[in-house]
Amino acid sequence: MIPNKFEYIRPNTLQEALSILSAYREDAKVLAGGQSLLSLMKLRLASPKYLIDLSGVPELNYIREESGRGNSARIAIGALTTYAQIKESAVLQAKSPLLVQTTHLIGDVQVRNRGTLGGSLAHADPAGDMPAAILALGAEIKAVGPKGARWIKAEDFFVTAFTTALSFDEIVAEVRVPVLKGYKTAYMKNAPRPSDFAIVGVAVCLQPDGGRTCQNITIGITGVTDKAYRAVGVEESLRGKQLDPKIIEQAASRVTDGVEVNGNIHASKEFRSYLASIWVKRAIQAAMSGA
Amino acid sequence: MHKIKVRINGRDFEDEVDSRLLLVHYIRQKARLTGTHVGCDTGNCGACTIIFNGKTIKSCLMLAVQANGADMTTVEGLAKNGLHPIQEAFMDRFAIQCGYCTPGMMLSACSLLQTNPQPNEAEIREAIEGNLCMCTGYQQIVEAIQYAAEKTRK
Amino acid sequence: MLKLEEILVTRNWVGKPVRRKEDTRFVMGVATYVDDLDIDCHHVAFLRSPYAHARILKIDTSKAEALPGVIAVITGQEIARQTKPVVPRAFNKPAVQYVMAVNKVRYVGEPVVAVVAENQYLAADALDLIEVEYEALKPVVTIEDALNPKSPLIFEEAGSNVLLHDKMVHGNIEEIYKEADLVIKEHFKVHRYSSTPLEPWAIIVKYERANDSFVVWSNDQQHGRSIVNVCHTLGISTDKLRFIVPDSGGGFGVKLALWPYIVTLALLSKKANKPIKWIQTRTEHLLGGTHAPDADVEIDLALKKDGRILGLCIKDIQNDGSFVHTTGIYGLIKFATMSGCYNIKATSAELVSVVTNKGPTVQNRGVGKPTMIFVLERMVDLAAKKLGLDPAEMRFRNFIQPGQMPHTTPSGEVYESGDYPECLRKGLRHLGYDEFRKRQKDLRSKGRYIGVGISAGVEPGTSNLGYYYTSRGVPEYMGNAEGAIVGVDYDGNINVLLGSVDSGQGHATTTSQVVADMLAIHPDRVSMTNQLDSIISPFLGHSGVYSNKFNDVDLGAVIMATKKVRDKMLRIAAHMLGVDRSKLKLKDGTIYSSENGAKAVSFKEIASVAYKRILLLPEGEEPGLKEIAYYKTPFAKMPSRENFNIQITHSNSVHIAAVEVDVESGSIRLDRYIIVHDCGNQIHPEIVRGMAIGSTVHGIGASLYENFVYNEDGQLLASTFMDYLKPLSVGLPNFEVVHMESPCPYSLLGTKSAGEGGAITSLTALANAVEDALSPFGVKVTSLPLAPEKVVKAIRETKEI
């Protein structure tokens, strides 16, 4: 379990990192917390020639509230913010708790101490937890490249397994999530053991109208197919509807509409589809009964 | 090759390391601190757990070069003036069989007790979720951590 | 046999949970496992087969050899030219296999080429430069594949993929079946799993040029036999091999089969003229570091209407994978436990062992008895259901009663003591069985499904090693025994060298407790070397840590050697004090006259005479205070197919699991878990409790998570701990352990085995609990693991897990 040879580079600024990345192109990989990438490199499933460690870049680790115009207040999270920092963040807990809820179910203490939000998104593991939460939140991802920064919507970010909308010379710098007012959120996952990758992970942002009617809902799903995705069919079936158990169950059955479901030794395609509908239902119920 | 300077258990080390040298191999082979173990290679077992700048991490999922400038504690650094309370507790409560997971397990426990001095059973179990033990079924480990917490309360 | 009063002079330490002697080095991080040894080594890495079954057409190692830092490369073919084939133990058919693949590969992960380099990084790089051309052959993966006459042969020379087929009938099975009111049949499948010690296999071999010999450091569990195997395979005499076992990070049987790698490393260390190290990676461990075989078991039970079990027959087919050394042995040990805790008059066991392109198997914790007790205890529940009896009542009607002990099973196993009904009564009381049933009814009406599962198992200890050869009839090993050296040093302290090794059991601690009570001293004054070294330690072919033998023969050897030392000290003291030996007593490290306490001499003073002032020794007494003793269990019968005790001691346990099944998702939550355990007298109750819980968790892992899944190409789909899922601290209940102590009349201290019971009894406790929880759905459990997908499917469609 030894990685192939590579050259390690530790730039001190984002600009420096970008210019190295531009120079080495596909031969380079960006290292954040390393909890996925180093494991792949040890298994020799990834063998970059250059490894660009971002840990020397100080400007990528923060959680701060940004007052936007009107209702568009947001929380900006630096790409190198660890799961542990998110889990302990009072700001996020108070104003946009879904990421906090999600980190409770990610890995174990050691992984949460190293793993980063930006790393998780850029890695785009089809069973990663964070992508589901980011989708449900309608977050925006700031990609910086040699030509400057651009914002990518979460729903446009995940392309397929381990592939994102980032071009080879771009780095995730920041993730912006909305401050949620009048929303209820939950993240739930089915996994063989609590800290495992999700067989199905479901993130829900629900805006009830004060009663049981769903004004708006967004649902992010992970673990089911080659990328995290929005369960648009379920969302549509619920918008404007009374959230009674039957309606939720019917809506949940649409979770894998138009999706090629993956199977592996922990759950076949059929069972995974079935679990997805159950977990969507449960996550919605959890959101409804939660804060 | 990269020059690194690290502090392990209060001692300073300076070395030239290859880019790909894993931190766990640096600790075991260069610093000759063999209490940090390797059990799985994929970051699942926690036998290589150390405290890195105040937080537990798995040293098989880090490169030695990433540790440049870091302050680390391994199991060998736990005992200061006599054994650390967690070491005493692991012995008093029979939390050890083969001993291979013990260093990582104790460091996870220490880290928990630092931030949460009076954890309940569920919190203890969650804190050691990243450390596999094949021998004990975890129960006497959980009891030892509870016991260490109780002792500090007194 | 010595009586307990003759052995123990004081009762201060045996039975007390003293601090473990081993633990100081473990908590300090200064224990010495093989990889921690400060030996300047080259490192070996193995290129392994990516195919399950293929012919090796060509190997080109030239690029690897040219890589700077690479010292030596060796192929299986070269190994075969310099070694003898691996010796099978259980079967007679020809099946030639060397320690590495020669002309063909037989499992994914089989070593094909070994590379030695200056460090492990370069060795890993070199593997990528080796080119091997394979011709893929059709893989033989499942038991059905192996039995299919159209399938290719794993060993062509054997003429069949069935390497062992035998039938053992004990008691008048035909008559018994005529007496039966009904016969129930079932077919069970048990999957592959392994206890996976946290420290994988580890070996260093150093070639000693001066005398053309080898020194081996390895975490081997059974060095006594490995020395024989390695020397035989290398064709060297046993004086050319020194074997050292330092600290070992868990064994569970899995480290009984690493010796073939010692052979390869020995050749490489000679070739490189440098110590060579191999530390197995976890993936190597999961691919080829041995599994418990998967098995298909057909069983039928002959019953009376009142629930009495008269007899049973099994046909047991085990998939032994691809390692001839261990092929067949599971069946030969598991059938001896066929009748479990019950009074059963006749048994018949048809044993079939097949080879396939799955990985090698070895004696994993419990060795086949987990499977045997699983099928038996499942049948007891199924029979109870058929007869309308409560599963607890069904067991009460069949248990061997305490008054019937010792009980001889149809095949000759002698259960020495125990109160099986009381174990179950205690367990039921502890759970609150009747209240549980009420709660179960209430919750069901609310759509929640809880269930309770009872399992009663025997836990045999101390294998009578002739069992390997029962089908061949030519035992190379028989009985069981161990050796020990006990010495009193200059300071009057005690040093013990044991022929066995420790892989987490706390042998030094328990040994010190026994020696302390034999010599009336504090255990702090007793030390036991943590390292076995074959040039100074006593050992036998039986030596090692396996089959729960420590409490019987290992301590037997310690006791006999300590007694020799004690007798010698008493003789010297009698002479020094001028007091008759019969009047001497021991206290706090002195020997004194019971008639005049002022007449006393300390161990140190006795040692001074024995080691230094030797002219003061009594007439005819040899100098020195160090004694060696070997102890063989006197109760092992001669190998025989008709009447043979395969194991000497028999602990027993009742496990009661209370679960809740989420019938929508199929997930199983363990609410409570009660272990009632009787292993006779306990020397260290906390070590016993740890063993009981730890071994139970091995069974829980196997029942719920762990599964070596192979696809139809013979690829293992669980080759890292990301996919081979071990139990974590979360998801396990707090185990409630209740002890009983029925002393064993067949071991010197009345102790029995304590290391495997949980792994044996737990599988069915969970299976029975899940079936009980799902009884409204009519689901039957006939296989493991209890995976959520299977659970949901059974509830909705198949009615069978």
Side-chain angles (χ1 to χ4, degrees):
Chain A
M1 292 295 168
I2 306 288
N4 264 312
K5 280 187 182 160
F6 59 84
E7 189 44 60
Y8 170 89
I9 307 165
R10 188 168 182 263
N12 291 314
T13 64
L14 191 53
Q15 272 320 309
E16 201 189 325
L18 287 170
S19 60
I20 298 164
L21 191 53
S22 295
Y24 295 129
R25 305 175 66 93
E26 281 84 355
D27 285 342
K29 269 267 182 199
V30 175
L31 178 69
Q35 300 304 283
S36 301
L37 180 56
L38 288 178
S39 195
L40 287 181
M41 288 171 64
K42 286 172 73 182
L43 294 162
R44 299 199 171 190
L45 296 172
S47 295
K49 289 201 178 104
Y50 300 92
L51 196 60
I52 306 169
D53 180 7
L54 294 184
S55 66
V57 177
E59 66 255 42
L60 294 178
N61 189 338
Y62 52 84
I63 299 174
R64 59 182 173 235
E65 204 177 345
E66 290 179 346
S67 47
R69 291 139 290 156
N71 279 339
S72 62
R74 290 177 174 280
I75 298 167
I77 307 165
L80 290 190
T81 307
T82 64
Y83 300 134
Q85 288 168 324
I86 292 171
K87 187 164 176 264
E88 300 306 321
S89 164
V91 176
L92 281 171
Q93 181 61 50
K95 309 215 163 167
S96 192
L98 181 58
L99 291 184
V100 182
Q101 291 160 342
T102 306
T103 52
H104 279 271
L105 299 182
I106 296 179
D108 48 51
V109 176
Q110 295 96 313
V111 167
R112 291 195 291 266
N113 282 339
R114 289 292 300 167
T116 67
L117 176 59
S120 161
L121 300 184
H123 183 58
D125 190 301
D129 299 286
M130 275 303 180
I134 291 296
L135 282 163
L137 285 166
E140 291 175 303
I141 294 141
K142 183 182 180 184
V144 291
K147 289 179 222 131
R150 64 176 175 129
W151 288 93
I152 306 172
K153 285 186 180 158
E155 59 202 80
D156 299 328
F157 188 76
F158 303 104
V159 175
T160 182
F162 307 107
T163 309
T164 66
L166 289 176
S167 89
F168 70 88
D169 54 1
E170 286 180 316
I171 291 173
V172 173
E174 185 180 294
V175 178
R176 264 195 206 159
V177 299
V179 168
L180 298 175
K181 280 187 193 140
Y183 273 84
K184 291 172 170 238
T185 59
Y187 180 73
M188 286 188 81
K189 80 169 165 184
N190 176 284
R193 302 168 305 173
S195 57
D196 287 321
F197 276 107
I199 289 174
V200 181
V202 182
V204 173
C205 280
L206 168 69
Q207 188 185 26
D209 70 343
R212 291 183 67 83
T213 307
C214 165
Q215 255 186 50
N216 195 14
I217 188 166
T218 47
I219 301 170
I221 307 287
T222 189
V224 171
T225 183
D226 56 3
K227 61 171 183 174
Y229 65 97
R230 280 269 299 272
V232 182
V234 185
E235 294 172 4
E236 279 168 3
S237 314
L238 290 173
R239 257 180 223 121
K241 299 270 170 51
Q242 280 276 76
L243 290 174
D244 63 50
K246 224 183 194 133
I247 296 207
I248 296 175
E249 195 162 329
Q250 275 168 5
S253 68
R254 294 186 58 190
V255 60
T256 52
D257 279 5
V259 164
E260 179 69 34
V261 179
N262 287 333
N264 68 7
I265 61 169
H266 304 300
S268 68
K269 277 180 192 207
E270 297 72 29
F271 190 56
R272 199 175 294 257
S273 299
Y274 166 78
L275 285 176
S277 64
I278 306 280
W279 252 257
V280 166
K281 178 181 81 181
R282 291 184 181 189
I284 294 170
Q285 282 162 349
M288 285 165 66
S289 58
Chain B
M1 296 293 265
H2 300 265
K3 212 171 186 161
I4 62 165
K5 248 174 115 166
V6 297
R7 175 167 288 186
I8 309 177
N9 306 329
R11 211 180 119 200
D12 292 317
F13 291 82
E14 263 191 81
D15 275 293
E16 290 257 302
V17 298
D18 220 356
S19 289
R20 62 173 170 165
L21 181 69
L22 298 171
L23 179 57
V24 67
H25 290 152
Y26 177 81
I27 292 168
R28 290 180 50 79
Q29 293 162 13
K30 298 263 184 167
R32 284 300 298 154
L33 294 164
T34 55
T36 305
H37 297 146
V38 177
C40 77
D41 303 302
T42 48
N44 294 87
C45 82
C48 64
T49 299
I50 61 161
I51 297 179
F52 182 91
N53 292 337
K55 303 232 181 239
T56 52
I57 60 117
K58 292 171 181 168
S59 62
C60 81
L61 286 188
M62 271 193 80
L63 304 170
V65 60
Q66 283 180 284
N68 189 20
D71 187 356
M72 296 177 264
T73 305
T74 67
V75 63
E76 292 91 340
L78 271 180
K80 295 228 166 69
N81 305 309
L83 292 180
H84 187 282
I86 200 74
Q87 292 173 309
E88 296 278 1
F90 267 56
M91 296 208 282
D92 284 338
R93 284 295 182 263
F94 306 100
I96 305 167
Q97 287 184 29
C98 83
Y100 203 74
C101 75
T102 306
M105 203 60 95
M106 289 192 306
L107 291 167
S108 285
C110 278
S111 184
L112 166 73
L113 295 178
Q114 252 162 27
T115 51
N116 180 0
Q118 299 301 324
N120 61 29
E121 189 199 323
E123 288 166 335
I124 294 171
R125 287 186 180 271
E126 201 198 309
I128 57 169
E129 192 181 358
N131 294 80
L132 285 179
C133 171
M134 304 294 181
C135 297
T136 63
Y138 305 99
Q139 186 150 317
Q140 284 155 310
I141 295 172
V142 172
E143 289 166 3
I145 300 170
Q146 275 165 337
Y147 176 71
E150 276 164 31
K151 271 212 318 205
T152 34
R153 190 166 52 202
K154 276 170 199 162
Chain C
M1 230 170 80
L2 281 174
K3 294 204 179 75
L4 202 56
E5 316 78 79
E6 298 173 84
I7 298 168
L8 303 180
V9 171
T10 58
R11 298 302 292 267
N12 297 331
W13 306 107
V14 168
K16 306 270 164 52
V18 300
R19 259 197 183 190
R20 292 194 348 149
K21 280 188 170 292
E22 298 81 0
D23 289 351
T24 309
R25 67 178 188 271
F26 291 137
V27 298
M28 302 280 288
V30 296
T32 311
Y33 303 92
V34 172
D35 197 22
D36 305 339
L37 291 161
D38 198 1
I39 300 171
D40 181 22
C41 292
H42 286 335
H43 292 254
V44 66
F46 290 94
L47 183 74
R48 293 174 181 279
S49 170
Y51 291 96
H53 199 190
R55 233 170 270 295
I56 301 170
L57 300 179
K58 202 176 139 206
I59 301 176
D60 182 352
T61 60
S62 55
K63 284 182 196 151
E65 284 173 81
L67 184 74
V70 169
I71 309 293
V73 175
I74 200 163
T75 64
Q77 222 137 60
E78 288 168 66
I79 296 262
R81 281 198 288 274
Q82 300 175 62
T83 60
K84 294 189 187 124
V86 172
V87 176
R89 278 179 282 182
F91 62 89
N92 275 324
K93 286 189 179 170
V96 181
Q97 182 173 34
Y98 288 87
V99 297
M100 284 176 53
V102 182
N103 295 317
K104 74 174 195 175
V105 289
R106 296 189 175 88
Y107 66 94
V108 173
E110 185 166 13
V112 177
V113 182
V115 176
V116 176
E118 282 167 6
N119 62 53
Q120 76 227 76
Y121 285 70
L122 293 173
D125 291 345
L127 296 185
D128 287 348
L129 302 174
I130 298 169
E131 288 159 19
V132 184
E133 221 177 286
Y134 294 98
E135 178 198 339
L137 300 171
K138 190 166 178 264
V140 180
V141 184
T142 62
I143 287 171
E144 294 75 34
D145 291 347
L147 295 176
N148 183 343
K150 286 185 196 142
S151 289
L153 297 175
I154 308 296
F155 296 95
E156 286 83 0
E157 61 278 17
S160 168
N161 287 325
V162 177
L163 292 195
L164 188 144
H165 191 164
D166 201 349
K167 193 169 182 180
M168 309 275 189
V169 179
H170 295 99
N172 196 338
I173 195 84
E174 280 170 27
E175 280 304 309
I176 283 283
Y177 269 67
K178 278 183 207 150
E179 280 175 39
D181 293 328
L182 72 159
V183 173
I184 62 166
K185 284 180 195 297
E186 199 50 74
H187 182 181
F188 295 95
K189 280 177 186 279
V190 177
H191 64 302
R192 272 190 173 221
Y193 60 91
S194 164
S195 291
T196 61
L198 193 55
E199 181 207 25
W201 295 356
I203 303 168
I204 295 173
V205 180
K206 182 182 178 206
Y207 175 62
E208 302 265 8
R209 225 167 158 181
N211 51 7
D212 190 29
S213 67
F214 300 97
V215 188
V216 173
W217 292 264
S218 174
N219 52 10
D220 191 299
Q221 275 185 257
Q222 202 179 15
H223 50 280
R225 181 189 292 269
S226 292
I227 291 169
V228 176
N229 289 335
V230 170
C231 291
H232 169 82
T233 310
L234 285 170
I236 59 172
S237 56
T238 47
D239 66 323
K240 296 293 184 194
L241 191 76
R242 177 178 172 194
F243 207 105
I244 299 170
V245 183
D247 281 321
S248 174
F252 318 122
V254 181
K255 288 174 179 166
L256 289 166
L258 56 78
W259 66 266
Y261 286 89
I262 298 175
V263 172
T264 303
L265 263 74
L267 293 175
L268 287 168
S269 77
K270 192 170 179 176
K271 196 168 172 179
N273 194 25
K274 175 100 180 179
I276 306 289
K277 184 192 277 196
W278 176 55
I279 307 297
Q280 188 183 45
T281 67
R282 182 55 61 184
T283 293
E284 288 182 313
H285 187 86
L286 295 174
L287 285 171
T290 65
H291 309 153
D294 42 323
D296 274 18
V297 187
E298 286 170 30
I299 175 168
D300 59 56
L301 227 53
L303 293 158
K304 292 301 265 185
K305 272 187 201 139
D306 62 6
R308 276 181 300 138
I309 306 165
L310 301 177
L312 80 150
C313 300
I314 60 165
K315 180 175 181 185
D316 171 52
I317 312 177
Q318 63 187 45
N319 181 343
D320 273 322
S322 46
F323 184 42
V324 296
H325 188 61
T326 46
T327 293
I329 63 177
Y330 265 73
L332 294 172
I333 194 167
K334 81 172 92 153
F335 89 89
T337 318
M338 269 179 86
S339 51
C341 296
Y342 307 115
N343 231 324
I344 294 176
K345 298 274 180 294
T347 57
S348 162
E350 187 178 352
L351 310 171
V352 181
S353 167
V354 302
V355 280
T356 64
N357 294 120
K358 285 188 179 179
T361 57
V362 80
Q363 300 96 308
N364 194 77
R365 202 170 197 172
V367 203
K369 288 150 280 188
T371 302
M372 195 59 244
I373 294 296
F374 171 68
V375 300
L376 177 64
E377 286 295 285
R378 278 275 51 239
M379 286 305 273
V380 171
D381 263 32
L382 293 174
K385 203 171 269 183
K386 181 100 183 171
L387 297 167
L389 288 170
D390 183 273
E393 179 57 28
M394 179 77 193
R395 288 175 172 84
F396 284 125
R397 290 189 187 182
N398 283 288
F399 276 142
I400 299 158
Q401 298 299 311
Q404 294 171 317
M405 294 290 181
H407 165 89
T408 304
T409 69
S411 67
E413 205 75 4
V414 185
Y415 295 176
E416 60 278 23
S417 62
D419 189 339
Y420 301 168
E422 182 56 17
C423 269
L424 180 52
R425 279 192 292 271
K426 270 181 194 271
L428 295 173
R429 273 200 303 273
H430 197 86
L431 172 76
Y433 189 61
D434 298 333
E435 298 87 88
F436 184 93
R437 289 288 181 209
K438 269 184 225 142
R439 206 161 74 85
Q440 182 178 42
K441 215 171 152 195
D442 286 352
L443 286 174
R444 268 184 199 166
S445 65
K446 294 173 187 144
R448 285 179 59 190
Y449 297 88
I450 62 171
V452 59
I454 300 167
S455 176
V458 285
E459 174 188 358
T462 318
S463 298
N464 182 353
L465 290 189
Y467 85 83
Y468 295 145
Y469 309 92
T470 317
S471 288
R472 302 180 69 175
V474 258
E476 199 181 333
Y477 292 76
M478 293 179 198
N480 210 310
E482 193 50 271
I485 294 172
V486 174
V488 179
D489 66 14
Y490 290 151
D491 300 314
N493 295 325
I494 317 301
N495 310 126
V496 182
L497 278 170
L498 187 61
S500 180
V501 293
D502 186 298
S503 55
Q505 297 81 358
H507 290 169
T509 304
T510 33
T511 297
S512 74
Q513 291 174 271
V514 172
V515 172
D517 270 344
M518 284 187 74
L519 297 177
I521 52 171
H522 194 283
D524 283 354
R525 290 185 59 183
V526 184
S527 63
M528 188 161 102
T529 316
N530 69 323
Q531 164 168 299
L532 178 124
D533 183 340
S534 65
I535 64 169
I536 57 166
S537 305
F539 69 93
L540 298 160
H542 307 74
S543 285
V545 55
Y546 63 93
S547 95
N548 265 323
K549 71 190 238 303
F550 174 80
N551 277 312
D552 182 355
V553 292
D554 296 33
L555 279 180
V558 169
I559 289 166
M560 298 319 274
T562 307
K563 187 171 175 304
K564 279 187 185 175
V565 166
R566 186 171 73 188
D567 287 346
K568 184 165 182 179
M569 286 202 292
L570 285 165
R571 289 196 302 271
I572 298 171
H575 183 71
M576 287 169 77
L577 297 171
V579 174
D580 190 77
R581 233 187 98 182
S582 62
K583 301 287 188 295
L584 291 177
K585 293 218 173 320
L586 290 94
K587 191 184 176 189
D588 296 334
T590 61
I591 296 178
Y592 68 98
S593 161
S594 57
E595 290 169 339
N596 176 5
K599 284 197 162 192
V601 61
S602 70
F603 288 6
K604 188 172 177 176
E605 287 163 323
I606 295 169
S608 161
V609 168
Y611 288 116
K612 296 183 286 198
R613 298 184 290 155
I614 56 175
L615 300 182
L616 298 180
L617 283 166
E619 190 64 35
E621 195 72 65
E622 286 176 8
L625 261 183
K626 192 173 272 191
E627 296 291 340
I628 187 165
Y630 294 95
Y631 178 80
K632 75 168 189 217
T633 169
F635 298 98
K637 297 178 191 175
M638 286 295 282
S640 138
R641 292 172 64 86
E642 286 72 42
N643 175 14
F644 183 41
N645 58 344
I646 284 177
Q647 290 121 147
I648 310 302
T649 66
H650 298 82
S651 297
N652 68 287
S653 59
V654 165
H655 285 209
I656 301 182
V659 303
E660 177 162 4
V661 182
D662 173 347
V663 296
E664 198 174 41
S665 73
S667 60
I668 295 159
R669 196 185 70 225
L670 272 166
D671 282 339
R672 286 183 69 187
Y673 201 104
I674 296 155
I675 302 166
V676 189
H677 189 232
D678 187 345
C679 61
N681 291 338
Q682 298 179 60
I683 295 170
H684 193 300
E686 279 297 309
I687 290 180
V688 170
R689 187 167 75 102
M691 290 281 154
I693 294 170
S695 63
T696 297
V697 172
H698 283 211
I700 289 173
S703 306
L704 296 182
Y705 311 116
E706 299 176 36
N707 191 1
F708 286 119
V709 180
Y710 284 83
N711 70 10
E712 57 203 22
D713 297 327
Q715 294 288 338
L716 178 62
L717 303 181
S719 61
T720 69
F721 275 162
M722 282 184 267
D723 284 316
Y724 189 75
L725 308 177
K726 302 300 294 187
L728 304 173
S729 53
V730 290
L732 290 172
N734 239 312
F735 294 90
E736 301 159 61
V737 184
V738 182
H739 288 300
M740 281 193 61
E741 290 198 355
S742 308
C744 173
Y746 299 160
S747 63
L748 291 175
L749 296 176
T751 52
K752 303 182 193 175
S753 48
E756 297 176 351
I760 293 169
T761 311
S762 52
L763 303 177
T764 343
L766 282 176
N768 286 350
V770 168
E771 185 174 289
D772 182 53
L774 298 180
S775 59
F777 301 94
V779 167
K780 184 163 73 177
V781 177
T782 57
S783 73
L784 293 172
L786 302 160
E789 183 158 1
K790 282 160 69 186
V791 172
V792 169
K793 224 178 189 165
I795 292 169
R796 303 186 149 221
E797 301 163 32
T798 59
K799 303 296 167 198
E800 191 164 333
I801 297 173

